[in-house]
């Protein structure tokens, strides 16, 4: 029963983490993933998983937390970093911003935030880092249950340090 509950919560979180990062293709613009991204995969207990709306994603077998990134290149629109952040968090109810800042990341302006809220009544928390570089938008995400969130936040911080967009 406990494993079933963990599985259900994991599925809910994956829906949250990747549901807000949907590409919309409009006439005149083909969206592709970035090539030649350099990164270090998160270490155990994170395991690589397949995710439809992410270039790469990893799930912690210990906590159910996830780390992922999505790149979108060549799209016709030019959404602001704030708008992308809002879209990424739109699936959460009772949304609260814990922290939010603009910084320089990979040589570009970036938006970094931590938010918490609920998904189907389950308390969740998510960290985002969003930036644009050379015609691509990158969204890095770390999320999980609020009570599990702090446990692997350092893994996400290391992931961000090692991530290099072309």
């Amino acid at each position: 029963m406990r494993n079933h509950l963990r599985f259900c919560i994991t599925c809910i979180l994956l829906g949250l983490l990747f549901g807000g990062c949907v590409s919309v293709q409009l006439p005149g613009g083909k969206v592709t993933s970035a090539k030649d991204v350099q990164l270090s995969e998160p270490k155990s207990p994170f395991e690589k998983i397949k995710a439809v709306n992410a270039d790469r994603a990893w799930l912690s077998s210990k906590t159910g937390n996830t780390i992922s990134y999505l790149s979108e290149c060549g799209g016709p629109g030019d959404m602001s970093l704030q708008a992308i952040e809002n879209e990424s968090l739109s699936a959460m109810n009772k949304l609260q911003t814990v922290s939010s800042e603009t910084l320089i990341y990979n040589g570009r302006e970036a938006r970094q935030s931590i938010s918490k809220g609920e998904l189907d009544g389950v308390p969740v928390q998510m960290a985002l880092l969003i930036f644009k570089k050379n015609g691509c938008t990158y969204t890095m995400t770390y999320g999980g249950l609020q009570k599990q969130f702090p446990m692997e936040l350092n893994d996400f911080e290391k992931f961000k340090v090692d991530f290099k967009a072309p």
Side-chain angles (χ1 to χ4, degrees):
M1 178 70 171
R2 185 174 169 173
N3 285 338
H4 178 69
L5 178 61
R6 177 179 270 188
F7 177 75
C8 289
I9 291 171
T10 299
C11 289
I12 290 169
L13 288 173
L14 288 174
L16 165 68
L17 296 176
F18 304 125
C21 300
V22 175
S23 298
V24 177
Q25 291 190 7
L26 299 174
K30 181 179 179 189
V31 177
T32 60
S33 294
K35 306 290 185 235
D36 300 324
V37 170
Q38 297 176 7
L39 58 86
S40 294
E41 293 195 7
K43 304 289 184 218
S44 181
F46 284 92
E47 299 171 3
K48 191 172 183 178
I49 59 172
K50 291 187 179 191
V52 175
N53 290 323
D55 293 358
R56 288 190 177 167
W58 299 266
L59 175 69
S60 169
S61 59
K62 181 178 177 183
T63 64
N65 293 339
T66 59
I67 294 175
S68 68
Y69 85 89
L70 172 68
S71 63
E72 297 178 302
C73 305
D78 191 25
M79 292 176 63
S80 70
L81 297 176
Q82 178 70 54
I84 296 167
E85 178 184 43
N86 292 343
E87 182 180 294
S88 297
L89 297 170
S90 66
M92 273 198 271
N93 297 315
K94 299 183 182 178
L95 182 64
Q96 296 176 337
T97 301
V98 175
S99 65
S100 182
E101 65 178 324
T102 299
L103 64 143
I104 299 300
Y105 177 83
N106 263 224
R108 300 295 196 273
E109 181 177 321
R111 180 99 177 146
Q112 178 171 264
S113 65
I114 297 177
S115 301
K116 62 183 179 178
E118 291 183 358
L119 182 65
D120 292 337
V122 177
V124 295
Q125 196 160 352
M126 185 185 310
L128 295 173
L129 177 65
I130 304 162
F131 69 102
K132 296 178 182 187
K133 187 171 183 182
N134 298 327
C136 299
T137 301
Y138 298 86
T139 304
M140 286 183 266
T141 307
Y142 167 71
L145 297 175
Q146 278 184 24
K147 66 181 181 178
Q148 305 281 29
F149 183 84
M151 295 176 72
E152 295 162 331
L153 186 56
N154 286 337
D155 293 292
F156 183 56
E157 294 302 320
K158 179 169 179 9
F159 180 78
K160 292 187 308 187
V161 167
D162 294 341
F163 188 95
K164 303 290 183 254

